[in-house]
Amino acid sequence: MKVEGEQRMTIEEGSIAARTLWVEEPAVRRRMPDPVRSSAVRAVLIVALTLIQAMTAFLSTLAGSWLAFPMVLSSVASTVLATWAVLDVWITRQVWNQRHGVTSVPSSTARRLRRERRSARRDARRQQRDAERIRHGRSSRLSPQP
């Protein structure tokens, strides 16, 4: 096996096949919108600090330290704050989806069905207009009849 720059040469049954070392793959999921990502980062930090604080309160209680009572009280307050932070991520995501909508791909079934319904409505209106013209004796010619 011979490696040259970004190419790896392999010998397979007397022939040489070139393969790249790095294959770019598309992302499975899209990147989160900025407001949602910032609230998610904030929530992760707050939850991590709350867990550290709760562990410190637990260990202080086991050790019989004077720090146990203030840590337990602040852990309760931090738990409320962490709950709000996690809810904030959910609310921010919902608001973002409501304001900016969900993008659909061109091959979307819903888009195709909407297009077919619009086309059917257009055809029905066209047929109704033609029937009105025929009923009232008007033709579709632009010049007046003599």
Side-chain angles (χ1 to χ4, degrees):
M1 197 180 297
K2 184 178 176 184
V3 177
E4 293 177 0
E6 291 187 0
Q7 296 285 325
R8 178 187 303 168
M9 306 300 278
T10 59
I11 300 174
E12 298 173 355
E13 299 176 10
S15 66
I16 297 176
R19 294 186 304 177
T20 58
L21 291 175
W22 185 266
V23 177
E24 191 73 29
E25 294 181 6
V28 177
R29 295 180 61 167
R30 290 184 179 212
R31 183 176 164 173
M32 280 192 289
D34 286 338
V36 178
R37 189 170 54 253
S38 63
S39 67
V41 169
R42 187 172 42 246
V44 166
L45 291 174
I46 291 172
V47 167
L49 290 175
T50 301
L51 288 173
I52 291 170
Q53 196 172 14
M55 184 58 76
T56 306
F58 176 71
L59 293 175
S60 298
T61 304
L62 287 180
S65 172
W66 64 270
L67 193 59
F69 183 68
M71 288 299 288
V72 168
L73 288 179
S74 64
S75 291
V76 170
S78 292
T79 303
V80 172
L81 182 67
T83 304
W84 174 250
V86 171
L87 281 175
D88 182 47
V89 175
W90 182 65
I91 291 168
T92 306
R93 185 174 154 272
Q94 294 297 326
V95 167
W96 177 268
N97 284 338
Q98 279 185 349
R99 287 185 182 163
H100 302 284
V102 178
T103 58
S104 62
V105 293
S107 63
S108 170
T109 305
R111 183 178 287 181
R112 184 176 50 81
L113 290 174
R114 279 195 311 263
R115 189 179 302 126
E116 289 173 1
R117 281 196 302 262
R118 278 195 308 262
S119 172
R121 282 195 304 262
R122 238 182 277 126
D123 290 342
R125 283 194 305 262
R126 187 179 303 122
Q127 288 174 356
Q128 186 179 6
R129 280 194 310 264
D130 291 346
E132 287 288 323
R133 285 185 189 137
I134 291 171
R135 201 173 316 134
H136 293 296
R138 288 182 283 176
S139 66
S140 60
R141 285 186 256 162
L142 294 175
S143 59
Q145 290 182 353

